[in-house]
Amino acid sequence: MELSLAIPPVDRRAVSSLFSRLRTPSGQANPLPIYKELRAMGDVIPAPWGGHLVNSHTLCDQVLRDRSWKVPGSEWRTRQEDVTRWGAPASRQMADTLPMLNPPHHTTMRRSMGNMFDRKSLEVMRESVDRITGRLLDRLTGDLCHGEVDFCELVTEELPVTVIGEWLGISPVDYPLLRSLTHDQVFTQELFPSRSQLALSDAATHRLREYFTALVEERRRAPGNDPVSAWLRTWDGLESDRAVADEAVYSLTLFVLLAGLETTSHLLSTMVWLLHEHPRQLEWLRAHPEHIPSAIDEVLRYDAPIHMISRIAPKDTTLAGVRVHKDEMVQLMVGAAHHDPAKYEDPTLFKIHRRAPHLSFGGGIHYCLGAPLARLEATSLLTALLERLPGLRISGSPVWAPRVAFRRLTKLTVARA
Ligand code: HEM
């Protein structure tokens, strides 16, 4: 008799219902029970909207590191029937940015960025990050004298845009505009954007295109000692057509802004939220600030800024016994994988001493180039908060945006104890 190794079918309606729950306020506040149900359905399960979901840490890690898996670049997007979703201007623009390029184009673009945040550059940036953090906390301290303050609005949204803005040499007058455009742009990268969200994303993309095209033109006219001018010099050596070089630099500049704002803001807000939810660990850290880096890594594991990463199957293949067809999209459920009991002991517990590796910055050839800067900003803010604001407390329930892939804490009210 032949043994049947058939995998029981997954109820697609049950998966859809889990994703609906994820977007509710309680799902946003605590997605872990939903992820537990998702993982219980299998390591690899069909996604109700097509393709598959990968829920296990081992498999997410394996796919990220396997160079044969592709990202959903422009060629893949043009083959999709859902033109509203994949043919929209914002989606086409994303397809030209670094994380959506496949080799060999990806290799050239990534190399052209250089090692943006190597040890030496970070040493230089540390001073400016600490200065900006200090200024923001001065303002926070002043405002706290009058009552409650929204920590996101005043600190965690402001620090990343000011750091990247200063680094790129952008005028502070433009920071509020860039903050708001990046929030709108991200809808195109979400799992289920509505038509109105896609329209917002398209409008933001158009404004960002104008803004960064003008910035690149300005640096052509008056090059300086900034990354955009450095990328122009690199690209002039790689490409004889100036328009092609300018387009490449435009795309790099746009992407570092998109990549570095919401993600880092989420890390900073979540760090403050989680540590205040665990006051004993917070107090211990105040006495042992040398453990700040491992606390930041636990925040990144516990609630990563990006909970889903997409990949495209390069050929018909099998993942955990499940057939995945060539060109199918799989969603690597990093948020769920970070609480996989096969990888982490007591995965639902927040433990700042854990020192466990995580996938928050991705893996393989697309590994995040901004990870050292994000860590630097988090270290600077946490160090200053521990020293300067021992009496800080969370004074209201936090509010999250109803997202699935890109987490966003929109409000975190704080007050003095
Ligand atoms: C906590 C903050 C951040 C998180 C969680 C994060 C996360 C990620 C992830 C998951 C990827 C890989 C995406 C994929 O494989 O499809 C990525 C790529 C990237 N990130 Fe970050 N990021 C953060 C901050 C930053 C910052 C501050 C910058 C730059 C200033 C940056 C620049 C990039 C770039 C350029 C890539 C593309 C790398 C490539 O495709 O080769 N990121 N990031």
Side-chain angles (χ1 to χ4, degrees):
M1 199 177 80
E2 222 176 72
L3 268 180
S4 166
L5 291 175
I7 292 163
V10 168
D11 179 352
R12 284 172 188 252
R13 270 185 312 189
V15 182
S16 288
S17 142
L18 289 183
F19 276 83
S20 303
R21 275 170 54 202
L22 263 182
R23 283 187 294 174
T24 61
S26 70
Q28 288 297 315
N30 183 11
L32 301 193
I34 301 171
Y35 287 153
K36 188 176 177 189
E37 287 184 52
L38 198 63
R39 279 195 316 272
M41 291 175 173
D43 284 350
V44 179
I45 58 174
W49 52 89
H52 283 85
L53 306 173
V54 178
N55 300 322
S56 94
H57 187 284
T58 305
L59 287 175
C60 285
D61 192 33
Q62 178 189 313
V63 171
L64 281 173
R65 285 171 199 280
D66 184 337
R67 294 173 74 96
S68 70
W69 284 78
K70 303 281 179 247
V71 290
S74 57
E75 282 176 21
W76 182 87
R77 286 171 202 237
T78 48
R79 288 198 296 276
Q80 303 313 300
E81 279 169 18
D82 185 353
V83 179
T84 316
R85 172 79 175 86
W86 297 109
S91 169
R92 287 206 310 270
Q93 170 64 73
M94 268 319 283
D96 290 336
T97 59
L98 189 61
M100 291 302 138
L101 300 177
N102 287 300
H105 193 181
H106 172 263
T107 319
T108 315
M109 282 291 264
R110 185 161 170 130
R111 277 197 193 132
S112 77
M113 287 192 106
N115 197 353
M116 300 188 290
F117 306 119
D118 61 11
R119 207 177 275 266
K120 218 167 119 201
S121 328
L122 271 194
E123 245 350 284
V124 176
M125 289 192 85
R126 189 183 310 276
E127 255 174 60
S128 65
V129 173
D130 286 344
R131 174 178 42 78
I132 298 163
T133 303
R135 211 171 58 209
L136 292 175
L137 292 196
D138 287 346
R139 228 172 76 194
L140 175 74
T141 313
D143 287 7
L144 282 170
C145 296
H146 308 290
E148 282 186 344
V149 173
D150 180 3
F151 195 73
C152 295
E153 178 59 31
L154 208 69
V155 180
T156 58
E157 291 254 324
E158 211 42 30
L159 180 57
V161 75
T162 312
V163 169
I164 301 250
E166 280 195 7
W167 179 64
L168 290 174
I170 289 174
S171 164
V173 176
D174 298 334
Y175 298 166
L177 172 73
L178 295 175
R179 255 172 71 165
S180 123
L181 291 176
T182 51
H183 292 318
D184 284 351
Q185 195 282 342
V186 89
F187 286 124
T188 193
Q189 302 175 59
E190 257 300 320
L191 187 59
F192 306 116
S194 65
R195 270 178 189 273
S196 60
Q197 288 173 334
L198 281 177
L200 278 176
S201 198
D202 284 345
T205 299
H206 183 72
R207 286 288 286 116
L208 286 163
R209 165 118 219 155
E210 286 177 344
Y211 188 90
F212 285 107
T213 305
L215 184 80
V216 172
E217 278 168 12
E218 179 205 302
R219 299 296 153 86
R220 272 268 176 233
R221 278 195 304 275
N225 185 22
D226 62 276
V228 183
S229 305
W231 294 330
L232 279 170
R233 286 190 287 274
T234 303
W235 271 92
D236 284 344
L238 290 171
E239 177 59 59
S240 53
D241 184 336
R242 189 174 260 215
V244 175
D246 285 1
E247 182 66 23
V249 175
Y250 151 76
S251 158
L252 292 179
T253 315
L254 167 71
F255 186 69
V256 287
L257 183 91
L258 294 177
L261 262 54
E262 276 207 355
T263 49
T264 313
S265 296
H266 177 82
L267 165 62
L268 303 177
S269 324
T270 308
M271 173 177 83
V272 172
W273 161 241
L274 283 172
L275 284 167
H276 281 84
E277 278 286 279
H278 298 85
R280 278 175 46 197
Q281 296 192 57
L282 177 65
E283 282 321 306
W284 187 88
L285 203 55
R286 206 183 301 284
H288 303 92
E290 66 278 14
H291 290 271
I292 285 176
S294 94
I296 293 170
D297 272 309
E298 177 62 350
V299 173
L300 284 162
R301 179 199 72 91
Y302 197 84
D303 188 357
I306 302 176
H307 277 208
M308 292 171 83
I309 299 180
S310 311
R311 287 293 184 266
I312 305 298
K315 56 179 190 307
D316 288 352
T317 184
T318 307
L319 273 182
V322 177
R323 288 296 286 165
V324 176
H325 295 289
K326 178 177 160 66
D327 236 20
E328 239 182 50
M329 180 179 269
V330 301
Q331 303 287 355
L332 308 175
M333 301 298 296
V334 167
H338 279 168
H339 298 274
D340 181 350
K343 172 76 184 173
Y344 303 102
E345 207 183 302
D346 300 329
T348 54
L349 296 186
F350 176 75
K351 295 198 280 194
I352 60 173
H353 301 296
R354 191 181 285 272
R355 290 179 184 278
H358 54 74
L359 304 172
S360 282
F361 292 118
I365 62 167
H366 291 279
Y367 185 81
C368 177
L369 276 167
L373 179 60
R375 288 183 200 278
L376 176 65
E377 290 180 45
T379 306
S380 172
L381 179 61
L382 188 49
T383 308
L385 278 176
L386 290 171
E387 280 171 10
R388 292 183 54 180
L389 282 155
L392 195 74
R393 65 179 174 87
I394 309 291
S395 57
S397 301
V399 180
W400 283 266
R403 309 258 196 93
V404 176
F406 291 80
R407 298 272 286 160
R408 183 176 169 215
L409 240 171
T410 53
K411 195 170 185 172
L412 185 67
T413 40
V414 293
R416 271 201 182 278

